[in-house]
Amino acid sequence: RALVRPESLDVLGGRLEAWEIAKELADDRPFFGYGFGTEEIIFPYFRYKFQRHSGAYVHNSFLGLALQLGWVAAIIFYLAFIIFLIRSYIKLSKLKGEFQPLTVALYSSVLSGFLTTFFESWLYAVGGIMSFTFFCCLMLLIRLLDFQKAAIQSTHVRNLR
């Protein structure tokens, strides 16, 4: 089995076909979707036959969330995450000290993981190694940013005295 199939690059390995159908289905139920955990059964349920897409998943976590929970939930989740990434970047740009390299590495891991969610459906995969690793990095990043914020504030208070 080839790592890259040149004949399917123009349609992203069949993903475009799945994305179009997922968008249409999500548009039919924009507020509540079809229910969490239905992504792998939704295409067979509606008897979709793909020309190039193989598999039962959308291969896009954003569209998968919209399909399962509705556009409102997917947009709220992704907007909150984008705001978190922007605020974290601002905090990260002000950091100095021994934990800065680790914080940058964690931020980079979380950012790259977030970007891959537009091409894979692992974000909400229960028990998946990708989602486990991603959320571990995310929680470590949150904790490390909070720890460094507390350290900066205590240093600032000591300097004021």
Side-chain angles (χ1 to χ4, degrees), residues 47-75:
R47 292 178 170 74
Y48 281 105
K49 302 287 184 207
F50 295 112
Q51 300 297 315
R52 301 187 104 169
H53 178 67
S54 60
Y57 293 96
V58 179
H59 291 286
N60 181 317
S61 293
F62 177 68
L63 283 174
L65 279 175
L67 189 61
Q68 296 174 64
L69 304 177
W71 284 114
V72 175
I75 289 169

Side-chain angles (χ1 to χ4, degrees), residues 68-87:
Q68 296 174 64
L69 304 177
W71 284 114
V72 175
I75 289 169
I76 289 171
F77 178 84
Y78 269 76
L79 274 178
F81 210 96
I82 290 168
I83 290 168
F84 166 77
L85 288 171
I86 292 168
R87 293 182 73 195

Side-chain angles (χ1 to χ4, degrees), residues 16-69:
L16 291 179
E17 186 178 24
W19 294 352
E20 289 172 16
I21 293 169
K23 185 192 172 306
E24 289 173 17
L25 289 170
D27 286 346
D28 289 342
R29 292 193 177 179
F31 295 105
F32 301 110
Y34 292 89
F36 195 69
T38 59
E39 181 180 356
E40 88 179 87
I41 62 170
I42 199 80
F43 294 141
Y45 179 80
F46 285 104
R47 292 178 170 74
Y48 281 105
K49 302 287 184 207
F50 295 112
Q51 300 297 315
R52 301 187 104 169
H53 178 67
S54 60
Y57 293 96
V58 179
H59 291 286
N60 181 317
S61 293
F62 177 68
L63 283 174
L65 279 175
L67 189 61
Q68 296 174 64
L69 304 177

Side-chain angles (χ1 to χ4, degrees), residues 2 7 16 25 37 57 71 89 94 98 122 126-127 129 140 157:
E7 68 276 1
L16 291 179
L25 289 170
Y57 293 96
W71 284 114
Y89 181 79
K94 297 175 184 176
E98 63 182 314
W122 58 261
V126 178
I129 191 67
L140 285 169
V157 169

